[in-house]
Amino acid sequence: MTVAERRKPTPQAAAVPRHVAVIMDGNGRWARQRGLPRIKGHERGADSVRAAVRACRDAGVKYLTLYAFSVENWSRPRAEIAALMRLLRKFIRDNENELHENRIRLRLLGRVGDLPADVRGELRRVEQATAAYDAGHLILALSYGGRTEIAEAARRIAQEVRDGKLDPADVDEDAVARRLYLPDVPDPDLMIRTSGEMRLSNFLLWQLSYAELYVTAVLWPDFREPHFKAALEEYGRRQRRFGDVS
Ligand code: IPE
Ligand code: IPE
Ligand code: MG
């Protein structure tokens, strides 16, 4: 995909984003408000993931990227990390059928090799089993960091230059974009963050350059189809200019 294609706005007449990216935040606060352990918030959050996938399917959003675990999240208490990994495995098992039924392709974004072998194996298995589907793409960002992704692309470019396969004069935006984790996926049109935090937390730093941002105070475990629809409606009212004049 060239720079021009990545930047090409989804036609305003349709007003449906092609790609929605979500920072699923607020699970811990949802649990704390109820006097529950944080993991209960993560468990409830898994139901919101299912709701988001269905909302995308119904609205015609082709790509959904969910920030499930950042490279920084490895600094959390070991017990919480272990519980999240167990939950991830369970989520994949519980939802594999629905991916097949809807012909949704599962894709992984991040340093997946950092994940425990059993979780990684389960994810890779479903990734392969759904690889031929194209009705929708569910992209899970796992052990993902935007700076890490860009640094890894830079390292590959340096290696190719050293090996004489790439001329430094050819290192442009396309050259970098082609070396990111999923170069065939178009940039997000809409980025949703739940729980009210006004920050990117190292999410898709390159790809979000021209995404429309939508922040809601709703905590992720409470964020269901009506909330997703409201975000899509708000997107439909935005005017995207991409630096041009309207
Ligand atoms: C998001 O919820 C889930 C992950 C980062 C895995 P949090 O766990 O960050 O919840 P808060 O932000 O503490 O409420
Ligand atoms: C961002 O949420 C990461 C994910 C949703 C996976 P965090 O809760 O980790 O981010 P900060 O710490 O509030 O920036
Ligand atoms: Mg958080």
Side-chain angles (χ1 to χ4, degrees):
M1 196 168 267
T2 65
V3 170
E5 280 164 354
R6 294 172 78 88
R7 289 267 176 82
K8 192 153 53 175
T10 315
Q12 281 296 330
V16 174
R18 177 169 51 176
H19 183 176
V20 177
V22 186
I23 301 179
M24 311 184 287
D25 199 15
N27 295 353
R29 276 161 282 172
W30 184 93
R32 197 179 58 213
Q33 286 172 3
R34 288 160 180 78
L36 298 169
R38 292 176 57 86
I39 186 64
K40 290 290 168 199
H42 297 314
E43 282 174 18
R44 210 25 133 75
D47 295 333
S48 297
V49 171
R50 227 185 323 266
V53 172
R54 289 178 185 160
C56 284
R57 179 198 60 195
D58 295 346
V61 174
K62 187 140 182 182
Y63 297 87
L64 174 65
T65 297
L66 300 176
Y67 203 6
F69 197 86
S70 70
V71 286
E72 287 80 17
N73 288 148
W74 291 112
S75 65
R76 292 192 178 196
R78 274 173 66 164
E80 180 170 346
I81 294 174
L84 278 167
M85 294 300 147
R86 272 197 304 277
L87 191 59
L88 182 58
R89 199 166 164 207
K90 182 178 180 323
F91 175 82
I92 293 298
R93 288 192 171 170
D94 290 352
N95 291 279
E96 185 179 354
N97 280 343
E98 193 162 330
L99 295 180
H100 288 298
E101 281 159 20
N102 292 289
R103 302 187 71 76
I104 294 172
R105 178 176 178 186
L106 176 73
R107 307 190 71 180
L108 308 173
L109 177 77
R111 295 176 51 92
V112 180
D114 293 347
L115 301 175
D118 59 333
V119 179
R120 191 171 67 225
E122 193 73 12
L123 287 162
R124 288 289 188 213
R125 184 183 63 71
V126 177
E127 188 182 39
Q128 278 168 20
T130 60
Y133 299 157
D134 189 41
H137 295 245
L138 172 61
I139 301 164
L140 295 184
L142 290 164
S143 194
Y144 177 83
R147 287 184 171 183
T148 303
E149 181 181 30
I150 295 168
E152 286 181 16
R155 192 184 312 146
R156 286 176 60 188
I157 287 171
Q159 274 162 357
E160 288 172 43
V161 168
R162 185 195 59 192
D163 297 345
K165 292 180 190 150
L166 185 64
D167 184 338
D170 292 330
V171 179
D172 55 11
E173 283 187 36
D174 273 333
V176 176
R178 277 202 302 273
R179 287 164 182 82
L180 298 176
Y181 293 139
L182 298 176
D184 59 309
V185 173
D187 289 343
D189 302 295
L190 170 65
M191 197 286 285
I192 300 172
R193 182 163 188 155
T194 58
S195 89
E197 309 292 358
M198 301 275 188
R199 55 176 174 259
L200 289 178
S201 301
N202 204 10
F203 189 41
L204 299 175
L205 297 181
W206 177 279
Q207 298 89 334
L208 290 175
S209 292
Y210 264 101
E212 294 297 318
L213 307 182
Y214 180 90
V215 176
T216 171
V218 176
L219 304 176
W220 179 251
D222 290 327
F223 192 86
R224 298 298 165 92
E225 275 102 332
H227 305 99
F228 205 99
K229 269 190 164 169
L232 294 182
E233 281 164 18
E234 163 72 22
Y235 173 83
R237 289 190 288 272
R238 299 279 176 93
Q239 230 192 44
R240 305 185 77 187
R241 283 188 286 276
F242 297 92
D244 207 337
V245 288
S246 53

